[in-house]
Amino acid sequence: SEATLTRLLRRYDPELGAVSLMRSVRGRKAATRMLSDLHEQIIDDGIARYLKQTKKLSTFSELYEYIESKCEVSGLKPPSANTLKKRLDAFGERAAYSLRHGREQMLQKFVMKPGSVDVETILSMVQIDHTRVDVIITDAKGLPLMRPWLTVVIDLKSRIVLGYYLALHAPSAVSVAMALLSACYPKTEQPLMMGGGQGTMHRYWGTPAAVGADNAAEFTSDAFEATLNYYRIDLLLRPIGKKHYGGHVERLIGTLMGKAHMLPGTTYSNVLTKAEYDSAKESALTYKQLCRWFADQVAIYHGRAHEGLRRKTPSEVWDEEMAKLGQNYVPPVPGDFRTFLLDFFPSISRTVQTKGVEFNGEFYVSLVVRKLVGQRLVFKYNPLNLGKIRLRLDGK
């Protein structure tokens, strides 16, 4: 018609050509929001609260009731349920996961992680890390004592917990030494807090070719790296800010701590989950009982299928790799276990005086040391027991 032709001529743009005559889509543009700014603010705040505090707002109905009441208090007409569902979907899975679990965990789950380690077989590489156990233990009289510390070593190929150390002291060179001792030697002769004891089901051990660790002081010291090199073990430190390089050991710790949240006296993982629970008052396990429980949990973990292992169990993968290495293959151990342990302990450099070796306000004397007066030597010591200091002589 003449009217349609007139409109087309009016819309025609010589620079765009025929494209300028394309019919515009009528109606509201996609993603247009018709609610007021106050409506949107109430909805955004409500959804954020819904995602952060799932125990207080655990269903969509409760979320809608919360926003509905907020709108009525503000004198606004509540949005429809469909509108709220669209707003909830608009947050996206990553944003929702970040609100619920935190940005770091969201990055671990959704962001690509280049630079992952490809291990050839068992004992090619292990990862080591510390954590505070989410349980308060009691003393012999049943009184609340403290939260122990856990140092754990995991084999990357099989996900086997190669060794660990449950301690009553903060992480240190001693913690690292004890955990590596647990990892490198058979557990039968080791104490309960390192996976040993009578009837232990922990049959995995061996010297790794490489150790992966974060940048804690006990892992970055020159002495630690030199000791690893002495035993022909490479040290691979995690790049700063790249948590995924330690992802295997961190997931293991998360799994084990999740089990600990079922114990009396648990502190849970955060204050929101803990709520009104009195961890100290409810504590009931002694240190020895916790060590026994933890050993059992490690045994259970070794027998459960893992998605990362193609639904195989860590013990199955370990046995398969052992078979590939040969019928007569025996995991290597790094020599005498007492010497190995002492080599990872802290050291001091002292000149032997006529009265002995001065350390920590005391003089240490022995028949051997008396013959070395005037020499400056390196001694090893255990910070938890200063009754003795030790000296390596003739490579022993």
Side-chain angles (χ1 to χ4, degrees):
S1 67
E2 183 178 347
T4 300
L5 179 60
T6 302
R7 283 196 299 271
L8 291 174
L9 289 173
R10 190 182 304 122
R11 198 163 64 208
Y12 180 73
D13 186 338
E15 293 184 3
L16 296 178
V19 175
S20 62
L21 297 180
M22 292 182 62
R23 181 175 295 178
S24 300
V25 178
R26 294 187 178 184
R28 194 177 303 152
K29 292 183 179 180
T32 300
R33 295 187 173 185
M34 303 301 293
L35 297 178
S36 67
D37 292 341
L38 184 55
H39 271 107
E40 298 293 349
Q41 183 65 48
I42 292 173
I43 291 175
D44 288 345
D45 291 345
I47 291 176
R49 176 177 170 177
Y50 168 78
L51 294 173
K52 285 182 180 179
Q53 305 178 25
T54 54
K55 288 207 168 185
K56 289 186 177 180
L57 292 169
S58 56
T59 66
F60 178 81
S61 297
E62 290 174 331
L63 168 64
Y64 184 76
E65 290 174 2
Y66 172 78
I67 292 178
E68 186 178 40
S69 64
K70 281 288 187 179
C71 288
E72 290 177 352
V73 170
S74 302
L76 301 173
K77 181 182 178 181
S80 67
N82 285 336
T83 298
L84 183 56
K85 287 179 181 177
K86 290 179 180 178
R87 296 294 191 275
L88 192 58
D89 292 341
F91 266 69
E93 188 178 4
R94 285 176 52 155
Y97 196 90
S98 180
L99 282 169
R100 183 170 288 150
H101 302 284
R103 175 175 169 78
E104 281 298 334
Q105 291 193 40
M106 182 274 290
L107 293 175
Q108 293 295 315
K109 182 175 176 64
F110 291 99
V111 176
M112 291 182 63
K113 304 174 181 65
S116 59
V117 179
D118 183 21
V119 291
E120 182 179 354
T121 185
I122 55 173
L123 300 177
S124 295
M125 182 178 176
V126 300
Q127 287 179 347
I128 183 171
D129 205 355
H130 313 289
T131 191
R132 196 90 178 262
V133 181
D134 294 339
V135 173
I136 295 178
I137 60 172
T138 66
D139 60 15
K141 297 180 180 179
L143 298 176
L145 185 61
M146 63 173 293
R147 290 172 59 189
W149 285 90
L150 170 68
T151 302
V152 64
V153 181
I154 181 176
D155 175 69
L156 291 195
K157 182 67 176 182
S158 62
R159 308 293 200 274
I160 283 288
V161 180
L162 202 60
Y164 65 85
Y165 175 51
L166 276 166
L168 300 180
H169 57 85
S172 64
V174 174
S175 305
V176 176
M178 299 295 275
L180 289 176
L181 180 71
S182 171
C184 294
Y185 293 85
K187 309 297 183 293
T188 50
E189 302 299 325
Q190 297 190 24
L192 186 59
M193 77 278 290
M194 296 166 62
Q198 293 184 348
T200 180
M201 292 180 283
H202 203 320
R203 58 183 176 87
Y204 313 99
W205 47 271
T207 306
V211 173
D214 62 18
N215 291 272
E218 58 271 19
F219 299 129
T220 56
S221 68
D222 293 337
F224 178 64
E225 184 172 10
T227 306
L228 286 178
N229 289 336
Y230 178 82
Y231 287 100
R232 298 181 179 180
I233 302 173
D234 294 329
L235 175 62
L236 303 177
L237 292 176
R238 185 187 310 172
I240 296 176
K242 303 294 184 182
K243 287 191 173 183
H244 63 268
Y245 280 81
H248 297 301
V249 69
E250 290 191 355
R251 280 194 294 274
L252 167 67
I253 287 174
T255 298
L256 295 175
M257 289 305 101
K259 303 295 183 183
H261 296 164
M262 304 299 292
L263 294 174
T266 178
T267 59
Y268 293 98
S269 56
N270 57 67
V271 294
L272 291 176
T273 307
K274 184 174 181 288
E276 301 299 324
Y277 184 81
D278 191 334
S279 302
K281 184 178 179 180
E282 298 294 334
S283 58
L285 295 179
T286 63
Y287 175 58
K288 185 175 181 180
Q289 289 172 330
L290 179 66
C291 289
R292 169 54 62 192
W293 174 86
F294 190 81
D296 292 341
Q297 292 303 311
V298 170
I300 293 171
Y301 167 84
H302 286 161
R304 285 185 173 170
H306 288 224
E307 291 294 339
L309 299 177
R310 299 181 181 179
R311 298 303 300 167
K312 294 180 181 179
T313 68
S315 59
E316 287 175 340
V317 176
W318 179 275
D319 292 340
E320 288 176 0
E321 293 299 319
M322 285 283 286
K324 292 178 184 178
L325 293 169
Q327 185 178 359
N328 299 321
Y329 175 79
V330 177
V333 295
D336 178 69
F337 76 92
R338 293 182 182 85
T339 304
F340 178 80
L341 180 65
L342 287 170
D343 282 339
F344 283 96
F345 276 7
S347 60
I348 54 168
S349 178
R350 292 290 188 275
T351 299
V352 181
Q353 304 176 34
T354 54
K355 293 193 294 183
V357 179
E358 184 181 8
F359 173 57
N360 199 38
E362 302 288 342
F363 281 93
Y364 294 80
V365 184
S366 73
L367 293 176
V368 174
V369 169
R370 290 183 187 276
K371 302 176 183 179
L372 303 173
V373 173
Q375 296 187 39
R376 191 164 185 85
L377 304 169
V378 176
F379 298 85
K380 292 285 184 176
Y381 68 95
N382 181 354
L384 306 179
N385 182 4
L386 297 178
K388 295 180 180 180
I389 60 174
R390 299 182 182 268
L391 172 67
R392 180 192 284 272
L393 290 174
D394 302 326
K396 299 181 180 178

